[in-house]
């Protein structure tokens, strides 16, 4: 119980963006998913990131700017360009 209480704020702040990064980058490499499955996972992950991005362009609090960098990097690795509206806002 105490362990869960200690990690709850961390998960709220970092958990969802980090899990989405996992879906975008590592999971497709570690599974036997087809190309269509990978494309579908990436599409859903990017859609999630689009709706959870803050108006300032970040995905976390100002104290945790590294997460926004990781998310933006993962988006670039999926083939999006710096001119993509979501990526540009994160930069």
């Amino acid at each position: 119980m105490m362990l869960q209480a200690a990690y709850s704020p961390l998960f709220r702040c970092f958990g969802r963006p980090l899990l989405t990064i996992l879906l975008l980058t590592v999971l497709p490499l570690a599974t036997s998913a087809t190309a269509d499955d990978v494309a579908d996972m990436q599409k859903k992950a990017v859609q999630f990131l689009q709706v959870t991005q803050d108006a300032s362009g970040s995905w976390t609090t100002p104290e945790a700017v590294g997460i926004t960098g990781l998310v933006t990097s993962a988006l670039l690795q999926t083939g999006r360009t710096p001119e993509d509206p979501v990526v540009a806002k994160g930069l």
Side-chain angles (χ1 to χ4, degrees):
M1 185 75 155
M2 182 171 281
L3 185 64
Q4 180 183 8
Y7 285 104
S8 288
L10 288 175
F11 183 79
R12 280 194 296 269
C13 185
F14 304 116
R16 290 186 179 141
L18 288 176
L19 288 174
T20 305
I21 291 170
L22 179 70
L23 280 173
L24 283 172
T25 57
V26 178
L27 187 61
L29 300 174
T31 66
S32 60
T34 66
D36 289 339
D37 292 337
V38 171
D40 188 48
M41 282 188 282
Q42 287 182 340
K43 180 181 175 185
K44 288 177 182 178
V46 170
Q47 286 172 342
F48 169 78
L49 291 171
Q50 287 173 329
V51 300
T52 58
Q53 189 176 28
D54 189 65
S56 69
S58 70
W59 281 272
T60 57
T61 64
E63 295 82 26
V65 295
I67 299 300
T68 297
L70 290 171
V71 172
T72 304
S73 177
L75 288 169
L76 289 167
Q77 288 179 14
T78 65
R80 293 184 176 260
T81 66
E83 292 77 26
D84 178 275
V86 176
V87 174
K89 195 174 178 183
L91 296 172

